[in-house]
Amino acid sequence: MKLYITLSALVVVALCAPYESENDPELAAVIARRRLPALEHEEVHDKYGQYALRYVTAEGVVVSESGRLVPTASGGYVLVTEGEISYIGDDGELYITKFSAGIDGYHAESNHPLVAPEPVLA
């Protein structure tokens, strides 16, 4: 039993050890790019909580989002959020996801929608 616990502890320590990116130049380049600050960053807020933002990362991810107050039937207001995220995937294709959230819930659409895998029947 002591041997099992000792081996399990060694496996856990080995799995938790930091990965040496020097051995993988491609991973080192990705890590270096992700540490760079945003290339563009614009953000505007008003005193009511409405906003608009847009930024572009060094990796080429473009995020734009806005939130505006919309009156409800009950006389209050709800913040409606709309936005878009785009990036070039590892396969070289452009991925674009548009989303909105408001009175009627959250909606998202993408040019590469996720497809759930078929269930495995035992």
Side-chain angles (χ1 to χ4, degrees):
M1 183 68 172
K2 290 180 184 179
L3 180 62
Y4 176 74
I5 292 173
T6 304
L7 287 176
S8 298
L10 287 174
V11 168
V12 168
V13 168
L15 291 175
C16 293
Y19 184 76
E20 297 296 328
S21 60
E22 296 87 26
N23 300 336
D24 188 354
E26 187 175 321
L27 178 62
V30 169
I31 291 171
R33 258 193 326 269
R34 288 187 178 167
R35 289 184 177 156
L36 293 174
L39 300 176
E40 295 178 30
H41 185 156
E42 302 170 24
E43 199 166 335
V44 179
H45 295 267
D46 72 5
K47 64 181 179 179
Y48 303 108
Q50 300 178 110
Y51 66 95
L53 64 89
R54 180 178 188 277
Y55 63 88
V56 179
T57 69
E59 291 182 297
V61 176
V62 180
V63 177
S64 60
E65 184 176 323
S66 64
R68 59 187 167 79
L69 291 173
V70 175
T72 62
S74 63
Y77 290 91
V78 66
L79 184 68
V80 174
T81 304
E82 297 172 333
E84 179 177 303
I85 302 170
S86 64
Y87 64 94
I88 297 176
D90 293 336
D91 56 2
E93 292 193 40
L94 179 65
Y95 288 78
I96 302 172
T97 302
K98 296 179 181 181
F99 60 90
S100 65
I103 298 172
D104 57 345
Y106 178 81
H107 302 282
E109 59 184 57
S110 175
N111 64 340
H112 290 84
L114 296 174
V115 178
E118 292 293 323
V120 177
L121 302 173

